[in-house]
Every structure is written in C-alpha cells, then in structure tokens.
Amino acid sequence: MHILQICPRVPYPPTDGGAIAMYDVAAGLARAGHRVTVLALNTPKHEQPATVLDHLGPNMRLVTVAVDTRLSPVKALKNLLSSMLPYNVERFVSPAVEARLVELLEQEHFDVVQVEGTFVAWYVAVLKRLAPTLPVVLRAHNLEHTIWQQLAKNTRNPLKRWYLQTLARRLQEFEQQVLPRFDAVAAITEADQQRLRQLGCPEPVVFVPAGVDLTRFRRDPALRPRPRTLCMIGSFDWLPNQEGLDWFLREVWPEARRQFPALELHLAGKNLPTRFASLQVPGVTVHGFVESAAAFMQQHGLMLVPLLSGGGMRIKIVEGMALGRCILSTSLGAEGIHVKSGFDIVLADSAAEWLAQLGRYYHGELGAAAIGEEAARTVARRYDNARVVESFLDLYTILLPARVAAD
C-alpha cells in the first residue's frame, strides 16, 4: 500500500505531541512494509532538511515545501477584515504546497491519503478535484474550535476574549464546512469522535488514539526521582500550556510553597515565553529545552498537567505513564486517555484539590510509585504504537474496496 501523509510541519524530531503522533504512525507504517510519502510544510519554527526521515529506510520519502507560517499581527488583522478563512488555517494555505500536491497526484499512484489535522484540511478540496475516487482520511488531532472557545471563556481581557471568540466561531464554521468532505475521520479521543459526528462528518468516524513507540520510552534504572520534586514539560508555544502554567503559578504554587516549603517545581520545554524563561520564583527551576524528555521526567517524583483548555489527547501524559511516572492532571488534561484517578493517574480540578493532592505527595501518602507502575501497565496494554498502526491499516482496508468499485 502507498500512503500519502500531509503534515502541517515536518514530523521530526518527535519532541512534542503533534510531531510524535505524526512521526510514530508514519514510521510504523513504513516498518510494516508500506510505502509512505510525507508531504510536509517546512516552517521556520520546525525547519528540517529533506533527508531527516532517511533513517526510516527505503519505504519512507519526505517531500518538503517551504512555507512561512509565522504569526503576523498585520496579517492577522488583514485576515480578520477580508478573509473567509480563519487565520489559524490561512497561515497553512500555500500555492506552492498545492502545486507540489498536484505534481504528486499526477505522477504517482497512492492508495490512500491521510491529512494530519484541521490546519491542512483545506487541501481536501485539491484532492477531491484531482483524484475524486482516492480515499482521504482526516486524522483529527483536535477539534480546533473547541480549544479556542475554552481559551476565550477563561481569559479575563475583554478585547482578547472578543478576538478569541471570533476566531473560535470562524474555526467552527470552517470545520463544519470542510471536515465532512473527508471519506473517513480518525478521532484521537472518544469525546472528539462524538463531537465530529455532531459536526456532520459521515461514517466511518472511528476512534484511533495516539500511541507511543514503547522502544523509545524504556525506563533507566539508574535514574531515581528526587523526593518532593514536581515537573512540567511541554511545548510552550501552545496557548493552553501557557494558560495552565499561569494558573498553577498564580492559584496553586504560592500556597503550596507556604505549606510545603521543601517542594520544588522544575519546568522544561521549548519556546518558553519570556515570562517563564526568566521566572524568578522561590522553589521554581526553569530548565528550558532538554535533550531527553524521558530522562527529565524520570528525575522528578510527580509530573503535572494543569490544563484548563484544549482538546485531543495529551501525548506527554501517555509518555510519562509509559515511563512509570505518577501524573497529577486536570480532568480535561487527561481527556481521552483511559485512566482512573487514584489507580494509574491522579486527577484534580480546583486549586484546593490540587493543593490537597500535592500535600499527600509531599507527606508520602499519595502512593506515587504504585500509581506510576499501574500507569506503565495501562500504556503497554492500550497505547502501544503498533496497535495504533494496525487500527489505521484496518481503516484503510475498509475504504479501499469502495475505491476499487468506483474505479
């Protein structure tokens, strides 16, 4: 089978949730003997050479097109006044990408196309125009408009709230118009599966969770978590991560530090905004980008995911679980992951609940080690990337007979 995967960025290195989800599926398909052509926007933030996926062998080919997706206040204002597309999507619409896609469709035979997320969903129009019988699958990493609705709801600035509400409305209109054009949709959580059906997406709308390559997340017995240490790691160019950390530092940390003075918080991640990178708060250490997320997570006793907005599935939670980490998350942060609070994760939503759980951890009453062990078992049972790849192959197989009949 020859799969064309369209990505909003080069899915390498696999250091954040989106890249991991795209890379692991592409790698899994190639290792299973299928040909994979990755057509990726080569953006300034994630720019990579065209050879970066060569290590995956002859079944993998990366085709890149340079596209400047950087945020621009001037372009955002122009978009608001004159464009029908939401700015989040317009940044990824490129005549050069469209031209390269046309070339690929004219020169090669593909069995199925997988489009990775809302930001490149616009290209379904090109696919349907040039290859109307070619099955096109949307992998819905998030239902984007719900994220921006939540961000708007949580913001205190009236002008910012109005802009976020406008963006959310336009994203919803775009998703309602474009997503039902796909032949199948793979939702990354069961909650998103139901939302996509409500949006009007025709069946099959299937649930295919993100997985992790367990060979990349093996525990190092030489690394022992330091007692009374917390960690948070993620991509801080994603607004929900910024919002969650702001909330934790404002609503939870001052009282936690007062009640539990030996508690330490360690922050790691790329693209830290200045207010975090230069943070000078007692008990907080900012590490910035770390070479090994796995090593960082294993060095600390409790991993935090204080997410207040967002959708889809937090890959970093699954990674942490695979490493046997005990994770304290909001219910929203763990949405779509089959976990049970107190068994293989700890869930808390209000500041008071977070403070209580931090107190239990501080005094050795949480059972963090046992929860971490159950977390590792849950991931091995449910989220091994090999099973995720099998689910996609099953979906492709369902779609292929329809194409044969149409041809």
Side-chain angles (χ1 to χ4, degrees), residues 77-124:
L77 179 60
K78 183 180 178 182
N79 168 273
L80 193 64
L81 297 175
S82 61
S83 176
M84 297 297 291
L85 285 174
Y87 184 52
N88 318 52
V89 174
E90 187 180 70
R91 290 164 49 216
F92 293 84
V93 174
S94 162
V97 174
E98 181 177 357
R100 194 69 179 92
L101 178 56
V102 169
E103 287 180 11
L104 288 170
L105 292 173
E106 290 177 344
Q107 297 172 4
E108 307 214 21
H109 171 82
F110 297 100
D111 295 293
V112 67
V113 181
Q114 180 158 308
V115 176
E116 298 283 348
T118 294
F119 296 148
V120 284
W122 180 87
Y123 294 98
V124 71

Side-chain angles (χ1 to χ4, degrees), residues 17 33 120 131 138 159 167 183 201 253 255 260 276-277 289 293 316 330 378:
V120 284
L138 172 71
L159 184 59
L167 201 55
D183 299 293
C201 293
W253 183 247
E255 184 61 20
F260 319 121
F276 297 140
F289 177 76
K316 275 290 180 283
T330 58
T378 296

